[in-house]
Amino acid sequence: MKHLLLGLGLAIFTPLTFSSEKSICGEEDDRVLSYENEIGRASKLSGTYGCTATMISDKCAISAGHCVGALSKVSFNVPESIETKPQPANPRDIYYLNKETLVWQENGEGDDWAVFELKKNPITGKYPGEVQGHLSVNLNISKVRGKTIRISGYGKDGQDSIRNFAQQTHTGKVKKLGGWASSKSRIAYTVDTMGGNSGSSLILQSTNEIIGIHTHGGCGTWGNTNAGTLISRNQKLKQAIKACLNRN
């Protein structure tokens, strides 16, 4: 089940692709600035943005499978952008991928995920979860249709001076589970996201637990939904999370 890092998905980080990944649900972008310490901005070593990752223990993190090309480092406490230009985090808040622990799948909506460990920060000597905290994962809940979820991550906001690829959040409802084009672990919802939000956790608002991973856009002014992977219905993802947590 473990995949090699093959640089997959690098094309998703080009400005052209970001501009085409509009996934705002309705007429207005309702995301607001947020400051959730457990949620980091993932990128290539030479980059500052790309995807989103969330700590689920001192070492373990989760993101999207199509983000493997942008998981080399994860930055926390990311500052606001300056004149739309994303800013780097303090070196004390940057952690690097332990490549030997990376497990992932990229099979479309409902089966697109990554589980991995991050190394200790070279300055502080501490793991990210020790400093930034972590969120709990609900491995069993499956009856979530109609419930409110939150997505916080580092999506594009090119028209805003301080929010572009800074952390923003929005809440919305789960609309559907499963689907004609995917596995039973597909989850669809009306929560605003943009390119860069891939890998963001789906957080159940009532309990603050992670129930899934955001991976695909689909919303627009006409309606529709965005989509991701529901953890409780994806056995390989559940196994990967359990294995990572058991090592910690």
Side-chain angles (χ1 to χ4, degrees), residues 217-237:
C219 276
T221 55
W222 61 89
N224 212 347
T225 56
N226 294 326
T229 301
L230 181 63
I231 294 171
S232 65
R233 292 189 176 189
N234 190 301
Q235 292 303 312
K236 289 184 177 180
L237 174 54

Side-chain angles (χ1 to χ4, degrees), residues 131-201:
V131 180
Q132 316 300 337
H134 52 83
L135 296 178
S136 297
V137 180
N138 191 319
L139 297 172
N140 301 309
I141 189 169
S142 59
K143 295 180 179 180
V144 294
R145 186 171 181 177
K147 294 188 179 295
T148 300
I149 60 170
R150 180 174 82 253
I151 297 179
S152 302
Y154 297 87
K156 177 182 172 66
D157 199 340
Q159 302 304 311
D160 190 282
S161 177
I162 66 172
R163 299 185 186 189
N164 193 37
F165 297 117
Q167 192 187 122
Q168 296 189 71
T169 192
H170 184 230
T171 59
K173 299 290 186 180
V174 175
K175 294 296 184 180
K176 188 176 182 180
L177 300 177
W180 61 270
S182 59
S183 70
K184 65 178 183 179
S185 51
R186 178 181 184 267
I187 178 172
Y189 36 83
T190 51
V191 185
D192 288 344
T193 63
M194 286 291 282
N197 266 115
S198 288
S200 296
S201 291

Side-chain angles (χ1 to χ4, degrees), residues 56-67:
I56 60 172
S57 74
D58 284 353
K59 303 179 192 177
C60 295
I62 58 174
S63 188
H66 71 259
C67 287

